Amino acid sequence: MSAPPNNANPPSGGGDWRQSVAQSFRSEEVRSIAKVLASLEPGATSASKTMLAMRFEESIFKAASGLDDYRKTIQKRLKKLQKHYVKQQQAAAAAGGGGAGGDKNENDDREKELLFESELRDKWGARLLFIVEHANEAVALTRQSHGEHKADILRQHTDGAKSWTVQLGLELPENDSTRGQFVRMERRDMEYLKKVKGYLETRVENIRSHVVKITDTDLFLQETLTKIDDALLKERLSVVFQQALNDADPDNSQFTGDQMKQLLERMNAPVPIPRRNQEGDRIRAAVARIEKIRAAAQALYTYMGLPIADKTSFRGCTPKCHSVVIECLKELDVEYSHLVKELDDTDENGKRIIQLEDAWNKPMQFSEFESEETPSMEDASGEEPNAKRTKTEEVSRGKVPMVIRSRCLLTREKNTPFSTLLPALKRKKATLVRNGSTTFVRLDFGKAFEMTIYFVPLLVTIRAIDTENAEGKSSLAGGHRWPSLYQGLCPSDNKTTVSGNVSALNKNSSSLNVLGVSGTFASVGPIIAKKLEYASAQATYALRRCFADTTVGKNAMAKSEFEIEILETGALIRFLQLARSTYIPDWVDDDV
């Protein structure tokens, strides 16, 4: 008999002791019982007695009051069988003769089939259940991103996995709408089970990898890192990584095992539990998690550059680094909104001061259902619901045209604004700027960043405010000074080329501080510029969608320049309100 498991003691608190018994322990007991039963019958093998041993063990496991009672009962009944079973078999042979050999062979075959099915269930059950639990979500996401055809292909594969799951005796989720479509066969002979085994070996892993990749990217990355961990220990790959890292960072090309140990200690350092009503503790805990993330990233980088002799000492490091990062990110996500309120700077009136990172942390999002309707030239009384429904249907079918420029409003031919526009701009604290033949609107968001709105074409640029130069670091393009992505970021003694690239002159002399990260302009500046480019693209899409609404529904009937200008004025006002409310949630228009 096997030794009891270490964690098999009855759980405290009155829980069921069976939950603490590992399945491997019970399987070992079944094998021991099968050997005893086979020894009692001449010609029998332990494999042929496995099903009988499983039923024997199951009945005792359910009736036992504890682990000790479970093991004692098994030993007691086996001794009793050893004492009486042989005598009963001899008496039955003397009374009834030889017995039915055909029935015995049939029972043996059935036991082998059930045993083989159990082995398939133990090996593939968990993977099949993951597929069926996430199949509907994976198909829906595939349909959104790749279209109906690929979604149908994935659905066919997941339906096959559901069928194999049912045939192995596992149940589909209760909320699965296809649950009634799959019925388990009454008799699953060895030939059929081997056929199922072939499907499982060739298809399940591929189907599961697709489902994991679509529905749980963190799990997919973790499993991928686990797979490649052994490959990283090969001499050839290790030399390639080490040479590449040395070339990329020649000033810090020494990677040692001692550095790796220090980083792993920092990565695995415990995070102090915040005390109740102690906000400082929560901030310190958040900072500690950020330090763990930083140490995990540095540990992964160092691990790649280690010599093969040192790298073998840290086998399994890559998935561990990933697990630490994911765990810390989840904890920080829970605390983020509370910490942001605590750490936000406020002015003398108690209002939050806008930061540069707000430009990309809260990008503009267009929502046709929540925003106001674009002004219409006709009286829509009594017809507004139908008009709004028609417009919504056109949007849902993708019939809204792409509008990339203003037709009348503030164009080169008609750069005089509509009479109602100037008061609206004042209420939004927007500035109308004329620069030669070009007219644009500018919005300032505190002292952090500015938004410039162009009309031919319809474009929005979001740039850091340049406190030293009101015009900003900009480049000439078509006679207009186009704002550089590095405006307000570039040090005063740096120069910007026509393409917007910063020269190498003194580029390391200035320091930037964004999101609590400090660094030189050369290291942090390009990252901030890329973030501002993303925020500008989001705002440009929102502006063009506002103007696109002037061309659908009843608004499409506007033909004269006067009518079109009214519609586009409404679209601009709508965009200005969206911009202000996005970055200043409690925004209230100024009285003119």
Side-chain angles (χ1 to χ4, degrees):
M1 305 299 287
S2 59
N6 295 331
N7 62 343
N9 294 326
S12 59
D16 190 353
W17 65 274
R18 298 172 183 85
Q19 297 178 358
S20 62
V21 180
Q23 183 61 41
S24 59
F25 174 75
R26 294 184 59 191
S27 299
E28 184 64 28
E29 292 289 342
V30 170
R31 285 191 288 269
S32 300
I33 295 171
K35 291 180 181 179
V36 174
L37 296 179
S39 65
L40 298 177
E41 184 177 343
T45 62
S46 58
S48 64
K49 296 299 181 182
T50 299
M51 291 305 302
L52 180 60
M54 290 174 63
R55 292 194 295 268
F56 183 88
E57 185 272 344
E58 181 72 19
S59 63
I60 297 176
F61 185 75
K62 290 181 178 180
S65 59
L67 182 62
D68 292 339
D69 182 45
Y70 164 76
R71 300 183 74 247
K72 290 180 180 178
T73 303
I74 290 178
Q75 294 176 358
K76 183 177 180 181
R77 291 192 179 182
L78 287 178
K79 289 181 179 179
K80 189 174 182 180
L81 282 174
Q82 289 173 331
K83 182 178 180 181
H84 300 287
Y85 187 78
V86 175
K87 295 181 180 180
Q88 293 177 359
Q89 286 291 97
Q90 292 174 351
D103 293 340
K104 180 179 182 299
N105 292 333
E106 183 178 356
N107 291 334
D108 290 344
D109 292 341
R110 183 55 182 159
E111 286 184 1
K112 291 179 182 179
E113 294 168 359
L114 293 176
L115 179 61
F116 187 66
E117 183 181 292
S118 176
E119 292 175 353
L120 294 178
R121 184 164 52 247
D122 293 340
K123 183 176 181 180
W124 301 99
R127 280 171 272 195
L128 288 171
L129 289 176
F130 182 91
I131 293 173
V132 300
E133 288 174 3
H134 299 83
N136 295 337
E137 180 185 359
V139 171
L141 292 174
T142 303
R143 183 177 291 108
Q144 293 177 5
S145 57
H146 299 289
E148 194 70 32
H149 177 65
K150 290 191 175 181
D152 287 341
I153 294 176
L154 180 60
R155 180 183 53 78
Q156 293 173 9
H157 286 295
T158 55
D159 284 350
K162 291 179 181 180
S163 175
W164 304 328
T165 302
V166 172
Q167 298 308 323
L168 293 182
L170 301 173
E171 294 186 359
L172 300 181
E174 295 183 358
N175 58 352
D176 193 334
S177 58
T178 62
R179 185 171 183 174
Q181 300 178 11
F182 305 99
V183 180
R184 192 183 189 194
M185 297 178 60
E186 293 184 3
R187 177 62 187 269
R188 301 163 300 283
D189 56 19
M190 186 62 70
E191 181 180 359
Y192 175 78
L193 292 175
K194 289 182 178 180
K195 186 177 180 180
V196 171
K197 179 184 178 182
Y199 291 145
L200 297 176
E201 291 177 342
T202 57
R203 300 184 185 181
V204 168
E205 196 59 42
N206 189 28
I207 298 173
R208 183 183 179 278
S209 66
H210 278 79
V211 174
V212 171
K213 187 186 303 181
I214 296 170
T215 60
D216 194 340
T217 53
D218 290 336
L219 179 60
F220 174 76
L221 180 57
Q222 182 179 3
E223 292 180 349
T224 303
L225 290 174
T226 303
K227 291 178 181 178
I228 68 174
D229 192 60
D230 291 337
L232 293 175
L233 297 176
K234 294 182 180 179
E235 180 70 26
R236 181 172 58 85
L237 290 178
S238 181
V239 172
V240 172
F241 277 113
Q242 190 174 5
Q243 183 63 41
L245 294 176
N246 291 339
D247 294 342
D249 191 7
D251 297 334
N252 185 24
S253 58
Q254 299 299 322
F255 300 96
T256 64
D258 292 337
Q259 292 179 352
M260 191 67 186
K261 290 179 181 179
Q262 294 176 2
L263 291 172
L264 292 179
E265 290 177 359
R266 289 168 49 193
M267 183 184 77
N268 296 319
V271 177
I273 300 176
R275 293 169 293 180
R276 183 178 298 179
N277 299 327
Q278 296 293 327
E279 299 301 332
D281 287 357
R282 302 180 69 173
I283 296 174
R284 282 189 288 272
V287 172
R289 290 190 176 93
I290 294 174
E291 289 298 325
K292 285 168 68 72
I293 294 175
R294 182 180 301 174
Q298 293 175 345
L300 186 60
Y301 179 80
T302 303
Y303 178 74
M304 293 296 184
L306 286 176
I308 189 65
D310 294 334
K311 188 176 292 184
T312 53
S313 302
F314 303 100
R315 182 190 294 269
C317 172
T318 50
K320 290 179 182 178
C321 292
H322 173 265
S323 300
V324 169
V325 171
I326 294 301
E327 180 183 357
C328 291
L329 286 177
K330 289 181 179 179
E331 294 294 334
L332 288 172
D333 184 57
V334 174
E335 297 289 340
Y336 176 76
S337 58
H338 178 79
L339 290 174
V340 165
K341 294 179 181 179
E342 293 294 328
L343 298 175
D344 279 344
D345 295 329
T346 56
D347 56 17
E348 61 275 6
N349 298 323
K351 293 185 178 181
R352 180 181 178 274
I353 298 176
I354 298 177
Q355 306 293 334
L356 179 60
E357 50 264 31
D358 292 340
W360 58 81
N361 281 341
K362 298 189 293 185
M364 294 186 63
Q365 302 289 338
F366 181 86
S367 176
E368 60 267 10
F369 302 107
E370 296 179 1
S371 53
E372 298 176 357
E373 290 292 319
T374 306
S376 175
M377 293 304 301
E378 298 183 6
D379 182 13
S381 59
E383 300 180 2
E384 184 176 357
N386 293 331
K388 189 171 183 179
R389 188 181 305 112
T390 302
K391 175 183 173 182
T392 302
E393 291 175 354
E394 291 176 344
V395 171
S396 63
R397 297 192 196 109
K399 293 184 178 181
V400 177
M402 179 180 293
V403 177
I404 62 174
R405 59 160 289 166
S406 169
R407 291 179 287 173
C408 294
L409 182 65
L410 299 178
T411 60
R412 183 174 183 177
E413 298 78 11
K414 193 176 180 62
N415 60 2
T416 302
F418 194 65
S419 58
T420 60
L421 179 58
L422 291 178
L425 293 178
K426 290 182 180 180
R427 287 193 294 270
K428 305 297 183 186
K429 288 188 177 181
T431 305
L432 185 67
V433 181
R434 290 188 177 90
N435 186 359
S437 60
T438 304
T439 304
F440 54 88
V441 175
R442 185 163 59 207
L443 292 174
D444 289 341
F445 293 87
K447 298 180 180 180
F449 60 91
E450 65 180 21
M451 177 184 292
T452 307
I453 305 166
Y454 301 92
F455 299 91
V456 183
L458 287 169
L459 287 173
V460 180
T461 63
I462 298 178
R463 303 290 188 264
I465 292 180
D466 190 353
T467 57
E468 298 180 0
N469 184 0
E471 295 182 358
K473 300 274 192 293
S474 56
S475 56
L476 293 175
H480 173 65
R481 299 187 67 83
W482 186 256
S484 167
L485 283 168
Y486 297 94
Q487 172 184 303
L489 305 177
C490 182
S492 58
D493 56 351
N494 284 347
K495 303 297 181 183
T496 307
T497 63
V498 174
S499 62
N501 295 325
V502 181
S503 65
L505 179 61
N506 295 329
K507 65 181 182 180
N508 293 321
S509 61
S510 182
S511 177
L512 295 175
N513 190 333
V514 178
L515 277 174
V517 177
S518 298
T520 62
F521 170 76
S523 61
V524 181
I527 299 175
I528 300 175
K530 202 68 178 178
K531 295 285 189 180
L532 292 175
E533 186 178 15
Y534 162 74
S536 301
Q538 292 290 106
T540 297
Y541 172 77
L543 176 66
R544 293 183 177 183
R545 281 294 287 110
C546 290
F547 273 74
D549 285 347
T550 65
T551 63
V552 297
K554 293 189 299 180
N555 296 334
M557 295 185 293
K559 301 300 181 182
S560 67
E561 292 185 355
F562 177 74
E563 295 173 341
I564 294 174
E565 189 173 5
I566 291 178
L567 293 174
E568 292 184 338
T569 298
L572 176 59
I573 295 173
R574 177 181 174 186
F575 174 79
L576 295 176
Q577 176 61 32
L578 178 62
R580 287 300 190 189
S581 60
T582 297
Y583 297 111
I584 310 175
D586 55 351
W587 170 262
V588 178
D589 289 350
D590 280 358
D591 296 331
V592 179

